[in-house]
Amino acid sequence: MKKLLIWLTALLMAVGLGILVPGPASATTSYCGLQWGSTAKAVETMSAAAVTNIRTGQHYCFDRMVMDLKGDVAGYKARYVHTVTQDGSGNPVPLRGQAFLQVTVTAPSYDDNGNATYSPANPAELSNVNGYQTFRQLAWAGSFEGYTTIGLGVRARLPYRVFTLDGPGSGSRLIVDVAHFW
């Protein structure tokens, strides 16, 4: 028992004096194994689809925004910006958070006759993200000339990914995942 206490004391002293320290973190490891970055992501193709809904969800390693479309999503652009701006007017969109993602899908939120396919009840709060680890606010930035933009306030400039999924039915989805940590 005395030997165990001596070894434990020696180990604690070595750690305390900095003799035994963990090695540097590897550049290839990341939070939850995610290998995402924080640079702009874009596919510059126009779409005939129309936005029908925007929703959010929480996952173990990231928060998720889903934009539902009627038809195939063809293009999008997502990037961190200093200020998210409204489509058409260029007016700033106020957002909570320390970093702001401007997410634009190349699809309108109206049909060929100008009727709304998605009209948020509260443009400043598209989804209740209270209690989310990364998301702070989702706000409507408008739909103008075939583009629909969402402002996404997050707690920090964190890695994210953007991708599309088919379905349900003949629709599709634009997905934005923002990691909880680096």
Side-chain angles (χ1 to χ4, degrees):
M1 182 68 154
K2 191 173 183 178
K3 284 185 180 182
L4 178 62
L5 287 175
I6 291 171
W7 278 106
L8 184 58
T9 303
L11 179 64
L12 289 173
M13 285 180 61
V15 170
L17 293 173
I19 297 169
L20 241 138
V21 294
S26 168
T28 59
T29 60
S30 63
Y31 176 69
C32 284
L34 306 176
Q35 299 292 323
W36 307 339
S38 62
T39 58
K41 292 138 179 66
V43 174
E44 300 288 339
T45 307
M46 289 305 291
S47 176
V51 176
T52 59
N53 192 30
I54 297 168
R55 52 199 165 91
T56 59
Q58 299 178 70
H59 294 264
Y60 180 75
C61 298
F62 54 86
D63 289 346
R64 172 171 282 179
M65 180 190 81
V66 178
M67 192 178 296
D68 295 316
L69 290 99
K70 182 178 182 178
D72 293 329
V73 62
Y76 58 83
K77 185 176 190 176
R79 63 191 175 108
Y80 279 105
V81 295
H82 293 291
T83 304
V84 172
T85 57
Q86 290 179 345
D87 288 339
S89 72
N91 292 330
V93 176
L95 287 169
R96 292 183 301 278
Q98 298 299 310
F100 311 112
L101 271 171
Q102 184 159 321
V103 180
T104 302
V105 63
T106 55
S109 64
Y110 48 85
D111 63 19
D112 291 338
N113 297 320
N115 300 313
T117 57
Y118 175 72
S119 181
N122 182 354
E125 301 287 339
L126 299 181
S127 180
N128 181 358
V129 294
N130 287 331
Y132 279 51
Q133 193 161 345
T134 298
F135 288 176
R136 296 295 178 257
Q137 183 181 3
L138 263 75
W140 183 250
S143 189
F144 184 71
E145 293 184 347
Y147 294 88
T148 299
T149 302
I150 304 303
L152 180 55
V154 295
R155 68 176 174 78
R157 185 178 172 132
L158 294 161
Y160 71 101
R161 69 176 174 176
V162 181
F163 62 99
T164 62
L165 291 173
D166 292 334
S170 62
S172 62
R173 294 162 282 166
L174 176 70
I175 314 286
V176 178
D177 292 337
V178 183
H180 294 159
F181 300 102
W182 271 100

